[in-house]
């Protein structure tokens, strides 16, 4: 169940003297967005819900809010990211209500295999439980480190699918608390340290080393598919926190220096369907690193990250995760 704290939101909006607000939501919080809009309207604030699905704090609809004459934006589901926003924005992260200690207790024998010094990381959903988890593990005799991370993350110990800076601390191994594979695989690849993922919902513990190997094999296959490509589309996104124009230009230059044709493409929601009709042999996505990976099955042309392109061009040998550094 998601805690909206709608009265606090109303207070903040009143402090901002808001007459009209735009509410932005990820897929899983549409009903909460609807409830919030109704509540705010009952309290005299005109509320518009954005029907565009949002995947991260990197994609605030502040420009749209401004265009619609809104005095503020409410961004549900994600924590604050430092961006140059055009209207005051209230970020309301989604915190999960699940007992992380129960899952940790169940997996103590696996956790001990990480070594004595553990770096603890999680996604924003479980960030409030991180100190509780630290205390629990310290009582079990571990030295627990929680990295501050760089300016792209809001909380110590928080990782994003594009940023694992909080995991890069002196430690023997990394303990990730959360569901899903993408984040802990990213942690394992970014730190090159033994990484154990504990899912607080199922109570399962999974070592990421094998998962990361399997994942890298798939990415090498994608790199091999692009081997004969001559014409590359280099895509960046107009989403504020994904716009990496400098990096995209660097990639175009690199390709040209290696005798390839390269064209910069800019789009908001990057998807293969929208690119059909272009005559490129392969693409490099210089935006959210999840796009060329999560969505690869839907691409009929090879699609790489900038780091993978460097491997293709013979500029690096080791596989490296594409991160956006804040
Ligand atoms: Fe998440 Fe991708 Fe945005 Fe990073 S760029 S915050 S991984 S949606």
């Amino acid at each position: 169940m998601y805690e909206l704290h709608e009265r606090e939101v109303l207070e903040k909006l009143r402090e901002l003297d808001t007459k009209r607000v735009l509410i932005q939501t990820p897929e899983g919080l549409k009903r909460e967005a609807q409830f919030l809009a109704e509540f705010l309207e009952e309290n005299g604030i005109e509320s518009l819900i954005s029907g565009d699905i949002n995947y991260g704090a990197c994609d605030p609809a502040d420009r749209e809010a401004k265009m619609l004459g809104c005095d503020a934006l409410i961004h549900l589901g994600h924590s604050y990211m430092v961006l140059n926003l055009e209207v005051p924005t209230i970020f309301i992260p989604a915190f999960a209500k699940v007992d992380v200690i129960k899952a940790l207790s169940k997996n103590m024998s696996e956790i001990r295999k990480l070594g004595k010094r553990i770096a603890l990381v999680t996604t924003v959903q479980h960030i409030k439980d991180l100190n509780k988890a630290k205390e629990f593990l310290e009582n079990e005799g571990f030295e627990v480190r929680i990295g501050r991370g760089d300016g792209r993350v809001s909380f110590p110990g928080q990782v994003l699918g594009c940023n694992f800076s909080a995991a890069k601390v002196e430690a023997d191994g990394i303990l990730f608390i959360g569901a899903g594979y993408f984040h802990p695989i990213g942690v394992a690849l970014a730190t090159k340290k033994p990484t154990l993922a504990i899912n607080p919902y199922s109570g399962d513990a999974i070592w990421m080393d094998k998962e990361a190997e399997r994942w890298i094999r798939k990415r090498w296959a994608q790199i091999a598919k692009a081997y004969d490509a001559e014409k590359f589309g280099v895509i960046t996104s107009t989403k504020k926190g994904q716009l990496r124009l400098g990096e995209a230009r660097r990639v175009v230059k690199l390709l040209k220096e290696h005798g390839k044709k390269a064209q910069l493409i800019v789009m908001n929601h990057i998807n293969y369907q929208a690119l059909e009709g272009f005559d490129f042999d392969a693409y490099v996505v210089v935006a959210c690193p999840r796009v060329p990976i999560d969505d690869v099955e839907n691409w009929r042309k090879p699609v790489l990250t900038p780091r993978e392109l460097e491997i293709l061009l013979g500029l690096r040998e080791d596989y490296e995760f594409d991160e956006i550094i804040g």
Side-chain angles (χ1 to χ4, degrees), residues 111-322:
I111 297 173
R112 290 201 193 286
K113 292 179 193 166
L114 282 170
K116 193 173 165 53
R117 294 173 313 159
I118 296 180
L120 199 53
V121 289
T122 186
T123 54
V124 73
Q125 287 85 355
H126 309 290
I127 207 80
K128 279 188 163 180
D129 293 319
L130 213 56
N131 279 330
K132 205 165 35 162
K134 179 176 188 273
E135 211 175 292
F136 170 81
L137 291 165
E138 282 172 347
N139 288 336
E140 292 287 333
F142 293 98
E143 275 175 37
V144 182
R145 312 216 161 144
I146 297 181
R148 174 64 200 91
D150 64 23
R152 195 164 168 84
V153 293
S154 322
F155 302 100
Q158 182 189 7
V159 290
L160 300 170
C162 57
N163 186 298
F164 305 100
S165 52
K168 293 172 189 168
V169 293
E170 268 298 306
D172 303 321
I174 321 285
L175 181 59
F176 169 85
I177 299 174
Y181 281 72
F182 195 92
H183 291 90
I185 286 178
V187 168
L189 291 173
T191 61
K192 300 188 176 29
K193 289 198 174 140
T195 302
L196 180 67
I198 299 221
N199 182 327
Y201 302 98
S202 65
D204 294 339
I206 302 173
W207 286 95
M208 280 301 133
D209 317 51
K210 286 234 159 46
E211 296 299 329
E213 264 173 43
R214 216 185 337 259
W215 191 85
I216 288 177
R217 268 202 299 276
K218 279 196 199 162
R219 296 313 300 170
W220 275 101
Q222 196 65 204
I223 296 167
K225 267 173 73 182
Y227 195 72
D228 294 325
E230 288 300 327
K231 289 173 278 181
F232 285 79
V234 178
I235 311 167
T236 191
S237 172
T238 52
K239 294 182 193 301
K240 270 194 179 161
Q242 296 187 21
L243 178 60
R244 300 161 73 190
L245 200 52
E247 175 68 349
R249 284 201 180 114
R250 184 188 75 87
V251 168
V252 169
K253 190 164 169 266
L254 214 55
L255 280 160
K256 288 184 177 167
E257 283 168 3
H258 284 77
K260 309 284 185 186
K261 284 191 173 172
Q263 179 59 54
L264 189 54
I265 302 170
V266 184
M267 55 201 294
N268 186 268
H269 179 60
I270 302 171
N271 64 100
Y272 183 73
Q273 223 181 353
L275 296 163
E276 253 173 328
F278 284 122
D279 180 27
F280 293 109
D281 305 319
Y283 291 94
V284 183
V285 172
V286 193
C288 171
R290 295 193 70 146
V291 173
I293 293 166
D294 280 356
D295 199 31
V296 69
E297 265 84 44
N298 294 320
W299 289 63
R300 281 205 246 128
K301 299 281 175 70
V303 54
L304 306 178
T305 68
R307 304 286 156 266
E308 291 166 349
L309 176 76
E310 288 167 6
I311 292 177
L312 182 81
L313 298 177
L315 299 171
R316 68 164 64 236
E317 287 180 0
D318 286 350
Y319 190 90
E320 199 177 294
F321 202 90
D322 179 31

